[in-house]
Amino acid sequence: MRAITYPVTPLPRIIMAPKSPFINRIALIYRIWFLYFEPVAAIGGTYLCTFNPDRFLSGTLPLPAYLSLATSPGPSVPITPLLRMMLVNIAALYALFAIIEGVVLRLTKEKSVWLAVLAAMLVCDMGHIYAVFEIGPERMWQVGAWNSDEWINYGTLTFGAALRAAFLLGVGRP
């Protein structure tokens, strides 16, 4: 038997723009949060860790954990040499975050750099959320009982993590 052959008509080519390695348009919410708000907040964290550690601790620790560490007569956590060293290290990390977001992301429109920076910061966000959950798991679920410091700290942390995740998933970006 002989095989029957039919003329093959090529399918029409769909012309698509090549994917650009650059981000040409960044949504306003991302620009405000990543390029302005977070770098300024990180500089504030650097300042507090270095020059007002008790205020930093009272604003970042879940209230029950902070009060359990505080000494009498007033709520204040004793700053031991070990804790001081840890606070200086945290201050240095906040300064790094401010430079990466406030400077590095401004210097490039390369998608791969933005994705790498925001993915790394999302990992850091997850670490912060886990640390707070580890020290006060019941407090994390008592959202209605949060004081203003907890709202500022955990609210901005969670919102920033959500924005990073949305950006990484492609929401609002080309």
Side-chain angles (χ1 to χ4, degrees), residues 25-174:
R25 184 182 49 80
I26 297 168
L28 181 62
I29 185 70
Y30 296 140
R31 283 192 317 247
I32 290 170
W33 193 264
F34 301 143
L35 301 179
Y36 297 96
F37 176 78
E38 279 192 325
V40 170
I43 293 298
T46 300
Y47 175 84
L48 288 175
C49 283
T50 306
F51 300 110
N52 196 348
D54 194 60
R55 178 68 185 105
F56 174 79
L57 292 171
S58 71
T60 57
L61 289 173
L63 185 61
Y66 177 78
L67 293 175
S68 73
L69 295 172
T71 57
S72 325
S76 178
V77 174
I79 307 298
T80 64
L82 178 61
L83 183 55
R84 179 76 185 140
M85 183 201 77
M86 298 301 292
L87 288 165
V88 170
N89 278 302
I90 292 170
L93 289 172
Y94 280 137
L96 175 66
F97 296 160
I99 292 166
I100 288 175
E101 279 191 312
V103 177
V104 173
L105 291 183
R106 278 187 168 80
L107 293 176
T108 186
K109 295 289 185 204
E110 288 187 51
K111 189 182 295 185
S112 62
V113 173
W114 273 73
L115 294 175
V117 165
L118 294 179
M121 294 202 61
L122 182 58
V123 169
C124 193
D125 291 336
M126 294 299 104
H128 284 291
I129 291 168
Y130 176 74
V132 172
F133 184 79
E134 184 72 18
I135 197 167
E138 65 286 339
R139 185 65 173 187
M140 287 302 293
W141 301 116
Q142 296 170 343
V143 177
W146 288 358
N147 63 26
S148 60
D149 285 337
E150 290 169 315
W151 272 105
I152 291 168
N153 189 39
Y154 313 141
T156 58
L157 175 62
T158 305
F159 184 72
L163 278 180
R164 270 183 268 290
F167 186 92
L168 292 169
L169 292 171
V171 176
R173 71 170 171 83

